[in-house]
Amino acid sequence: MESLRHQLTRFIQDPAARRDPAGLYRRLLTEAPVLDLGRVHVISGYEEIVTVLMHPGTAVDPAAIGLDRPGSSALAQVLARTLPMRDGADHTRLKRLATAAFSARRLAEIRARIETTTEELLAPLLAGGSFDLVADLAVPLPVAVSCAILDVPPADRERVTGWAGLVARSLLDPFAGAEQTAALDAEFEGFRDWVEELCAARAARPGSDLISRLVQARDAGQLDDEDLLAFVVMLFANGLETLTSGLAVAAWQLLKNPALAAGIRAEPHTAEAVFDECQRLGSPVRASARGLGGDVQVGDTLLPAGRVVLLLYAAANRDPRRFPDPDRFDPARAERRHLAFGHGPHHCLGAPLSLMAGGTVLALLAAAGAERELSTPLDESTARWSEQFVFGGLRELPVEVQQLTALGAGV
């Protein structure tokens, strides 16, 4: 058991140890779905994680169990008020305000915008002959989709993408020094001013978009100015690591497996299921932490109140008790309720949008393969993966594009 603890500690601390984690996941799930690492309990079993997530005493806000919130910048204070960081009735109240914007009817309207936006971004990349799928598509697409959904003028997309990147960097490095904090706050002021102008414009001329709905809720006393700012920040920045990492993982699978692209070309409606299975196997969000506001019984282990638990979603998504033959890539598998988008009260509100965007990207890349050869010079040994523990996407994914007619001409 000590060797398992050592292996898991290296996995958490050393990016090199995360390159091929399937063996560690199997050991955890077989030997210790709940493992005491001393400072935290690491939970890797699917049902065990669900038990913790559904317990009423489980909290995402570290302050709920007496711990300090990370970061001291003005941006960090706003991030602490975003929906993913709220608990209990407060979380329920805020989530209810946004739920209507993600109704089935609204999502059907949004689909066309996602497809158009993705086509606009991808077309010049395919025409250019080569591009980096991460920097040129997976980073700008989440922000472009948010801009399209929220009726933000296309002229503002570049600025918003820069600000969203600022928020993402702050999330990944919340313990910046004094000089970095001052720089963050100065840059964030521009984002805050822009958001205030956008909200004022929607207050004067409301539409059917989510920002107009949130402005109306603020004017009705259902949330304050800082809650409104936090909502808008979240809407623009939330997909920059999650969807960005998810798109890179899925495109990597497509480029490595030409038969997968051929299958999507033949049956485009399967693209979302393929993307979803990529999220299960690739788990762009490896893990999340929770604080326990009360005792929680997980299997044979009693986790005491005040304890911090690390929920290893990536391992749970390969739990054979939930997913038969879990290491096999199977978009048609019967059980698809994985944990890549979370579970319970904090299940990702934007999960349907991520599936739409991911499926659209895969369908367009697969369709492009009918007239072009899409390939990457990377292999398993040369691929550069994120060194962050929480997010597991590729740092870059160069794609080379060659017309099939040009290939045939040289034969």
Side-chain angles (χ1 to χ4, degrees):
M1 186 64 73
E2 286 303 317
S3 62
L4 178 56
R5 289 192 176 94
H6 177 70
Q7 187 179 359
L8 178 57
T9 300
R10 279 199 306 112
F11 172 80
I12 294 172
Q13 296 177 346
D14 182 5
R18 298 195 283 269
R19 291 299 298 268
D20 186 17
L24 171 62
Y25 296 160
R26 283 192 293 271
R27 284 199 67 190
L28 287 168
L29 292 164
T30 301
E31 300 176 28
V34 180
L35 180 62
D36 186 354
L37 270 191
R39 296 178 63 182
V40 300
H41 272 85
V42 178
I43 306 179
S44 55
Y46 183 98
E47 291 300 334
E48 289 83 355
I49 287 179
V50 168
T51 297
V52 171
L53 290 175
M54 296 303 293
H55 193 277
T58 298
V60 295
D61 184 354
I65 59 169
L67 299 177
D68 293 334
R69 292 170 176 157
S72 58
S73 67
L75 176 54
Q77 294 173 35
V78 171
L79 291 173
R81 299 187 66 153
T82 58
L83 185 61
M85 292 302 300
R86 307 292 270 269
D87 290 305
D90 198 29
H91 176 266
T92 301
R93 172 181 64 86
L94 294 173
K95 192 169 186 177
R96 190 180 295 121
L97 293 174
T99 299
F102 296 93
S103 66
R105 180 185 63 81
R106 182 64 175 151
L107 288 174
E109 297 171 356
I110 289 170
R111 180 180 293 276
R113 294 190 179 190
I114 289 177
E115 292 172 352
T116 299
T117 301
T118 306
E119 288 172 353
E120 290 174 350
L121 285 170
L122 188 57
L125 301 179
L126 294 171
S130 65
F131 61 96
D132 179 359
L133 189 133
V134 175
D136 297 330
L137 183 65
V139 169
L141 180 59
V143 179
V145 168
S146 293
C147 287
I149 292 167
L150 301 173
D151 293 328
V152 172
D156 286 343
R157 283 184 188 174
E158 186 174 347
R159 283 198 302 163
V160 172
T161 300
W163 285 323
L166 168 73
V167 176
R169 292 195 304 274
S170 179
L171 285 169
L172 294 174
D173 184 19
F175 300 103
E179 186 174 336
Q180 289 176 291
T181 297
L184 278 174
D185 285 347
E187 194 172 349
F188 181 59
E189 275 304 305
F191 193 14
R192 179 190 288 270
D193 292 343
W194 180 84
V195 170
E196 289 176 353
E197 291 173 7
L198 181 64
C199 291
R202 297 299 158 85
R205 299 184 64 181
S208 60
D209 60 279
L210 181 54
I211 292 181
S212 294
R213 178 180 173 83
L214 293 172
V215 168
Q216 291 167 357
R218 180 200 60 186
D219 294 344
Q222 295 175 277
L223 72 166
D224 60 25
D225 287 337
E226 290 301 303
D227 282 337
L228 177 56
L229 173 65
F231 245 120
V232 178
V233 168
M234 178 196 73
L235 291 169
F236 283 120
N238 200 41
L240 258 193
E241 286 298 332
T242 52
L243 180 53
T244 294
S245 298
L247 288 170
V249 165
W252 173 251
Q253 287 290 337
L254 201 72
L255 293 169
K256 290 195 305 176
N257 301 291
L260 192 59
I264 294 175
R265 275 198 301 277
E267 298 181 285
H269 67 275
T270 65
E272 284 190 21
V274 170
F275 181 78
D276 198 36
E277 178 71 347
C278 289
Q279 307 313 290
R280 183 190 71 81
L281 267 182
S283 293
V285 180
R286 288 194 185 95
S288 181
R290 294 290 190 273
L292 303 183
D295 295 347
V296 182
Q297 185 73 41
V298 182
D300 297 330
T301 304
L302 179 65
L303 301 176
R307 189 70 165 159
V308 174
V309 293
L310 182 68
L311 309 178
L312 194 52
Y313 297 145
N317 284 339
R318 294 180 184 236
D319 191 334
R321 297 171 297 173
R322 185 73 179 187
F323 306 103
D325 196 6
D327 296 332
R328 179 169 58 90
F329 185 83
D330 180 13
R333 65 171 61 247
E335 179 54 75
R336 292 175 55 189
R337 290 173 294 175
H338 53 72
L339 299 177
F341 297 109
H343 183 88
H346 282 276
H347 182 266
C348 179
L349 195 62
L353 293 178
S354 292
L355 290 173
M356 280 185 191
T360 298
V361 168
L362 293 187
L364 289 173
L365 288 174
E371 299 177 352
R372 307 168 178 88
E373 181 185 47
L374 304 182
S375 62
T376 178
L378 300 183
D379 57 30
E380 297 290 348
S381 65
T382 58
R384 297 178 63 216
W385 294 88
S386 169
E387 296 185 357
Q388 293 289 334
F389 171 65
V390 172
F391 299 106
L394 285 154
R395 295 177 66 183
E396 60 183 12
L397 181 52
V399 178
E400 297 176 353
V401 185
Q402 191 167 4
Q403 291 289 339
L404 292 178
T405 52
L407 287 171
V411 177

